[in-house]
Amino acid sequence: MNAWVRRVLAGGVALAAVMGLSVAEAHKASDAYLQLRSDGSVVTLRVDIALRDLDRDLVLDADDDGLLRWGEVRSRTADIESIAERGVRLEVRDVQGAVCRPGAQAPLQLEQHSDGRYAVLVRTWSCASSPATGALSYGLFAMTDPSHRGVLVWRQGGAARTAVVAPGTVDMRLALRPEPSGGDGSADAAEAAEGDSHPAHGLAGIFRDGVHHIWIGIDHVLFLVVLLLPAVLRRQGGQWQPATAWRPALWRVLGVVTAFTVAHSITLALAVFDVVDPPSRWVESLIALSVLLAALNNLRPVLVETRWRLTFLFGLVHGFGFAGALKDLGLARSELMAPLVLFNLGVEAGQLAIVAVLVPLAWTTRRWRGYPRWVLGAGSAAVASIAVVWLVERLFDVQILGVGA
C-alpha cells in the first residue's frame, strides 16, 4: 500500500475538519434573489441581499452585540445601495432598440426569507415603447465570497424563467416581451427563438446550483464522510477490521447513498411545495445533531450493518436544509417542478462526486493498521467536536467560533 495514498486520505479528513471549523453556519450558501418583471412600458428589478453577507462586508452590527437592528441597517443605506449598484447592473431596451430610462432607487426595505433577513432594493426602468430585452451584469461579493450566487427569476410573457448567475456574469441577455404565437420568420420570431435558449440555460444553472450547494455545505459533506469511512471495514470481536470482499462494502456504500438520496428527495419536495415547513433554526440544529450522532456511531458503534437507517432518518432533515434556495425563488407551485427536479439531480451529482473520490481512497487504505484509529477514529472525533459547536450555535443562536454567517 502506497504511503502517499494513506497520507492523502488522512489529509482529506483533516482538511474537511478544518473546513468545518472555518464556517460556523456551514449549511447555508450565500445567495441573493433577483426578480425582474415587465408591466406595460415599465421594467422593475427587485434585488434581495442577505444581511449576513452585507454585515460581512460592511460590518453593519455597529455595537457588535451579534444582533442586526433596523436602525443599524438603515444608517448604512447609502453603503448598501452602493454595493447593489456596483454588483447588479441592468440595461433595458425597448422594441425600437432605444435604451430605457432608469428611475430612482426605492427606499430600502427588509424581508424575512427562509434563512434569515434580507435587504430589499427595488428600481424601475421606463421605456418609450414595450420593453424587449435586458442585459444583466452581475458581480455581487465577487472579491469577498467567490461561492456567492444570484438566483434570478424573470418573465417572458406569462412564462417564468430561472437562472443562476455567478459573480463575473456580463451582459446576460434576457428576453422580456411575450413570445409570438406564430410568424413567418420575422425578426420578432428570431428574437423570441433566442429567448427560448434561456430556459435551458436557466435549468442548467439550477442543476449546477444543486451541485454547488452540497459541495459548499460542509455539514452535508461531513455527514456523508463519516457515514462512508466505515463502509470499507467490518465489525468483528468488538474491533474494526478491513473488509475482505468488495461486494459487501459496495452494498454498504449503496445503502448509505440510496437512503440519503431517497430521504432528502422526499422532504426537499415537501418543503418546496410548503406541505411541511419547519423553522429553519430547528432544521439547522437537527442537521448538526445528525453529523454528531453519525460521528459518535463510528466511535461507539450502535448501528453497523443497518447504518442506512440512521442515514435515512437524518436524510429527511437534510432535505429541508436544501429547500431554501428553491423556496425563495418566488415561483408559483406549477412553475417549481422543473427547478426542483434539476436542483435535486444536481445535489445527487455532487454527492456522487464525493463518493467517487472518497470510497476508492478508503478501499485502498483500509488495510493500513492506522486506518481505524487515525482516519476513522480521529476523523470522527474531530467531526463530532465540530458538530457540537454547530449544535450549540444553532440551538441557542450564539456565536462561538468568531466567524458567524
Side-chain angles (χ1 to χ4, degrees):
M1 182 189 312
N2 293 333
W4 72 267
V5 177
R6 294 197 299 266
R7 288 195 293 269
V8 166
L9 183 57
V13 174
L15 177 61
V18 171
M19 290 169 65
L21 282 170
S22 69
V23 188
E25 290 291 338
H27 160 253
K28 185 62 180 76
S30 172
D31 295 323
Y33 296 94
L34 292 77
Q35 297 182 43
L36 183 62
R37 296 183 180 276
S38 176
D39 183 13
S41 61
V42 176
V43 172
T44 303
L45 175 65
R46 167 175 166 158
V47 182
D48 293 25
I49 308 174
L51 290 187
R52 62 177 179 273
D53 293 331
L54 291 169
D55 184 39
R56 181 194 62 236
D57 282 24
L58 297 177
V59 192
L60 300 177
D61 186 10
D63 56 11
D64 197 29
D65 64 350
L67 299 174
L68 279 178
R69 296 177 174 83
W70 168 237
E72 292 174 319
V73 176
R74 184 178 54 189
S75 67
R76 303 295 298 279
T77 295
D79 296 321
I80 294 172
E81 290 178 346
S82 178
I83 281 183
E85 289 174 2
R86 292 196 309 269
V88 184
R89 297 182 179 275
L90 178 68
E91 181 183 84
V92 181
R93 293 181 179 270
D94 63 19
V95 292
Q96 307 299 326
V99 176
C100 301
R101 184 177 70 257
Q105 178 78 57
L108 176 71
Q109 300 178 37
L110 296 183
E111 180 160 319
Q112 185 73 28
H113 282 242
S114 62
D115 61 311
R117 287 188 299 168
Y118 281 62
V120 178
L121 301 108
V122 179
R123 170 160 285 176
T124 59
W125 283 257
S126 299
C127 303
S129 56
S130 297
T133 61
L136 177 71
S137 297
Y138 192 82
L140 273 179
F141 309 118
M143 302 302 295
T144 59
D145 187 357
S147 70
H148 173 81
R149 295 293 182 269
V151 184
L152 167 68
V153 177
W154 80 100
R155 293 186 180 274
Q156 182 184 356
R161 308 299 198 215
T162 60
V164 177
V165 289
T169 298
V170 178
D171 291 338
M172 178 181 176
R173 187 174 173 83
L174 309 171
L176 300 177
R177 59 176 167 170
E179 298 175 359
S181 57
D184 55 359
S186 66
D188 285 352
E191 182 174 300
E194 180 182 356
D196 282 343
S197 67
H198 291 303
H201 170 78
L203 291 180
I206 294 293
F207 174 87
R208 291 193 296 269
D209 202 39
V211 177
H212 173 76
H213 269 69
I214 193 169
W215 281 359
I216 68 170
I218 300 301
D219 42 9
H220 297 302
V221 172
L222 291 186
F223 182 65
L224 278 174
V225 167
V226 295
L227 288 168
L228 292 171
L229 285 179
V232 298
L233 303 175
R234 56 190 176 90
R235 195 74 176 168
Q236 186 174 16
Q239 301 293 323
W240 289 110
Q241 302 292 335
T244 56
W246 64 269
R247 287 184 185 275
L250 179 61
W251 280 113
R252 286 191 287 271
V253 170
L254 290 176
V256 166
V257 172
T258 302
F260 188 66
T261 296
V262 172
H264 82 242
S265 297
I266 291 171
T267 47
L268 174 59
L270 292 176
V272 167
F273 288 107
D274 286 325
V275 178
V276 183
D277 188 20
S280 61
R281 178 177 172 183
W282 290 105
V283 169
E284 292 171 0
S285 299
L286 286 172
I287 289 173
L289 180 62
S290 74
V291 178
L292 174 61
L293 293 182
L296 292 178
N297 189 60
N298 289 346
L299 300 173
R300 292 289 186 269
V302 176
L303 301 176
V304 179
E305 295 303 322
T306 57
R307 194 180 299 108
W308 64 268
R309 295 178 181 177
L310 180 69
T311 308
F312 183 84
L313 174 64
F314 284 111
L316 294 171
V317 179
H318 284 248
F320 290 119
F322 286 128
L326 291 178
K327 289 178 66 177
D328 292 329
L329 281 174
L331 295 174
R333 289 191 179 189
S334 61
E335 299 167 338
L336 276 169
M337 185 55 68
L340 173 63
V341 171
L342 268 295
F343 184 87
N344 198 48
L345 288 175
V347 170
E348 302 317 319
Q351 173 184 298
L352 290 176
I354 295 168
V355 173
V357 172
L358 179 64
V359 172
L361 279 173
W363 178 259
T364 303
T365 59
R366 76 194 189 284
R367 295 188 182 278
W368 174 42
R369 63 182 181 179
Y371 185 99
R373 180 177 181 181
W374 296 111
V375 177
L376 180 62
S380 296
V383 171
S385 300
I386 295 165
V388 168
V389 175
W390 284 340
L391 184 58
V392 172
E393 288 187 331
R394 297 174 186 188
L395 271 178
F396 300 104
D397 195 21
V398 296
Q399 186 172 308
I400 296 175
L401 298 181
V403 283

Short mmCIF file of all heavy atoms in Angstrom, two decimals, residues 14 20 42 52 56 101 122 126 142 161 207 221 224 237 248 297 303 311 325 331 387-388:
data_model
loop_
_atom_site.label_atom_id
_atom_site.label_comp_id
_atom_site.label_asym_id
_atom_site.label_seq_id
_atom_site.Cartn_x
_atom_site.Cartn_y
_atom_site.Cartn_z
N ALA A 14 -8.66 15.46 7.56
CA ALA A 14 -8.23 16.61 8.36
C ALA A 14 -8.66 17.92 7.70
O ALA A 14 -9.11 18.85 8.36
CB ALA A 14 -6.72 16.59 8.53
N GLY A 20 -14.69 22.63 8.20
CA GLY A 20 -15.85 22.73 9.06
C GLY A 20 -15.65 23.76 10.15
O GLY A 20 -16.55 24.53 10.47
N VAL A 42 -42.96 49.63 -18.26
CA VAL A 42 -42.11 49.74 -17.08
C VAL A 42 -41.51 48.38 -16.73
O VAL A 42 -42.20 47.35 -16.72
CB VAL A 42 -42.89 50.28 -15.86
CG1 VAL A 42 -42.02 50.30 -14.61
CG2 VAL A 42 -43.44 51.67 -16.16
N ARG A 52 -26.58 38.92 6.37
CA ARG A 52 -25.34 38.31 6.87
C ARG A 52 -24.19 38.56 5.90
O ARG A 52 -23.04 38.73 6.32
CB ARG A 52 -25.53 36.81 7.07
CG ARG A 52 -25.86 36.03 5.82
CD ARG A 52 -25.97 34.53 6.07
NE ARG A 52 -26.32 33.84 4.84
CZ ARG A 52 -27.57 33.65 4.43
NH1 ARG A 52 -28.58 34.09 5.17
NH2 ARG A 52 -27.82 33.02 3.30
N ARG A 56 -20.91 41.06 6.67
CA ARG A 56 -19.52 40.63 6.48
C ARG A 56 -18.69 41.72 5.80
O ARG A 56 -17.55 41.99 6.19
CB ARG A 56 -19.48 39.35 5.65
CG ARG A 56 -18.07 38.80 5.41
CD ARG A 56 -18.08 37.75 4.32
NE ARG A 56 -18.53 38.28 3.05
CZ ARG A 56 -19.55 37.78 2.36
NH1 ARG A 56 -20.22 36.74 2.78
NH2 ARG A 56 -19.91 38.34 1.20
N ARG A 101 -35.07 54.42 -19.62
CA ARG A 101 -34.51 55.34 -18.62
C ARG A 101 -34.68 54.76 -17.21
O ARG A 101 -35.78 54.43 -16.79
CB ARG A 101 -35.25 56.68 -18.70
CG ARG A 101 -34.69 57.77 -17.78
CD ARG A 101 -35.42 59.08 -17.95
NE ARG A 101 -36.79 59.02 -17.43
CZ ARG A 101 -37.87 58.89 -18.18
NH1 ARG A 101 -37.76 58.82 -19.52
NH2 ARG A 101 -39.06 58.85 -17.64
N VAL A 122 -35.33 47.98 -4.79
CA VAL A 122 -36.19 47.93 -5.98
C VAL A 122 -35.90 49.14 -6.85
O VAL A 122 -35.82 50.28 -6.35
CB VAL A 122 -37.69 47.90 -5.59
CG1 VAL A 122 -38.55 47.87 -6.85
CG2 VAL A 122 -37.98 46.70 -4.70
N SER A 126 -38.17 53.02 -17.23
CA SER A 126 -39.31 53.46 -18.06
C SER A 126 -38.89 53.46 -19.52
O SER A 126 -37.85 54.03 -19.88
CB SER A 126 -39.76 54.86 -17.64
OG SER A 126 -40.19 54.86 -16.30
N ALA A 142 -18.00 39.63 -5.45
CA ALA A 142 -17.01 38.93 -6.27
C ALA A 142 -15.66 38.85 -5.59
O ALA A 142 -14.93 37.86 -5.77
CB ALA A 142 -16.88 39.64 -7.63
N ARG A 161 -38.99 32.28 -16.11
CA ARG A 161 -37.67 31.78 -16.46
C ARG A 161 -36.80 31.85 -15.21
O ARG A 161 -36.94 32.77 -14.39
CB ARG A 161 -37.02 32.62 -17.56
CG ARG A 161 -37.87 32.84 -18.80
CD ARG A 161 -38.22 31.56 -19.48
NE ARG A 161 -38.66 31.75 -20.84
CZ ARG A 161 -39.59 31.02 -21.44
NH1 ARG A 161 -40.20 30.05 -20.77
NH2 ARG A 161 -39.91 31.23 -22.69
N PHE A 207 -29.31 23.15 -12.00
CA PHE A 207 -28.60 21.88 -11.78
C PHE A 207 -27.23 22.16 -11.15
O PHE A 207 -26.85 21.54 -10.15
CB PHE A 207 -28.44 21.14 -13.11
CG PHE A 207 -27.59 19.90 -13.01
CD1 PHE A 207 -28.15 18.69 -12.65
CD2 PHE A 207 -26.23 19.95 -13.30
CE1 PHE A 207 -27.36 17.53 -12.56
CE2 PHE A 207 -25.44 18.82 -13.21
CZ PHE A 207 -26.01 17.61 -12.85
N VAL A 221 -21.50 17.54 3.70
CA VAL A 221 -20.33 16.78 3.28
C VAL A 221 -19.80 15.92 4.42
O VAL A 221 -19.51 14.72 4.26
CB VAL A 221 -19.23 17.72 2.75
CG1 VAL A 221 -17.94 16.95 2.48
CG2 VAL A 221 -19.70 18.42 1.47
N LEU A 224 -21.89 12.83 5.11
CA LEU A 224 -21.59 11.75 4.17
C LEU A 224 -20.24 11.10 4.47
O LEU A 224 -20.11 9.87 4.43
CB LEU A 224 -21.60 12.29 2.74
CG LEU A 224 -22.95 12.44 2.06
CD1 LEU A 224 -22.79 13.12 0.71
CD2 LEU A 224 -23.62 11.08 1.88
N GLY A 237 -15.53 -9.01 16.75
CA GLY A 237 -14.98 -9.09 18.09
C GLY A 237 -14.83 -7.74 18.76
O GLY A 237 -13.90 -7.53 19.54
N PRO A 248 -19.68 -6.79 -0.30
CA PRO A 248 -20.39 -6.28 0.89
C PRO A 248 -20.11 -4.80 1.15
O PRO A 248 -21.02 -4.07 1.56
CB PRO A 248 -19.85 -7.17 2.02
CG PRO A 248 -19.37 -8.41 1.34
CD PRO A 248 -18.84 -7.95 0.02
N ASN A 297 -21.45 7.32 16.27
CA ASN A 297 -21.72 5.92 15.93
C ASN A 297 -20.47 5.22 15.40
O ASN A 297 -20.33 4.01 15.51
CB ASN A 297 -22.84 5.85 14.89
CG ASN A 297 -23.32 4.43 14.66
OD1 ASN A 297 -23.79 3.76 15.57
ND2 ASN A 297 -23.17 3.96 13.42
N LEU A 303 -25.23 1.15 15.38
CA LEU A 303 -25.71 0.66 14.10
C LEU A 303 -24.50 0.42 13.20
O LEU A 303 -23.73 1.35 12.96
CB LEU A 303 -26.66 1.67 13.45
CG LEU A 303 -27.91 2.03 14.24
CD1 LEU A 303 -28.70 3.11 13.52
CD2 LEU A 303 -28.79 0.80 14.47
N THR A 311 -29.00 6.93 8.33
CA THR A 311 -28.84 7.80 7.17
C THR A 311 -30.20 8.27 6.66
O THR A 311 -30.38 9.45 6.35
CB THR A 311 -28.10 7.05 6.04
OG1 THR A 311 -26.90 6.49 6.55
CG2 THR A 311 -27.78 7.98 4.89
N ALA A 325 -33.04 27.51 -1.13
CA ALA A 325 -32.72 28.17 -2.39
C ALA A 325 -33.88 28.13 -3.38
O ALA A 325 -34.04 29.04 -4.20
CB ALA A 325 -31.49 27.53 -3.03
N LEU A 331 -41.60 31.50 -7.19
CA LEU A 331 -42.33 30.89 -8.29
C LEU A 331 -43.65 30.30 -7.79
O LEU A 331 -43.77 29.89 -6.63
CB LEU A 331 -41.50 29.78 -8.93
CG LEU A 331 -40.21 30.19 -9.63
CD1 LEU A 331 -39.44 28.96 -10.07
CD2 LEU A 331 -40.49 31.09 -10.81
N ALA A 387 -19.39 19.34 15.16
CA ALA A 387 -20.85 19.26 15.21
C ALA A 387 -21.40 19.77 16.53
O ALA A 387 -22.48 20.37 16.57
CB ALA A 387 -21.30 17.82 14.96
N VAL A 388 -20.68 19.54 17.63
CA VAL A 388 -21.12 20.06 18.93
C VAL A 388 -21.17 21.59 18.89
O VAL A 388 -22.12 22.22 19.38
CB VAL A 388 -20.19 19.56 20.06
CG1 VAL A 388 -20.47 20.33 21.35
CG2 VAL A 388 -20.40 18.07 20.30
#
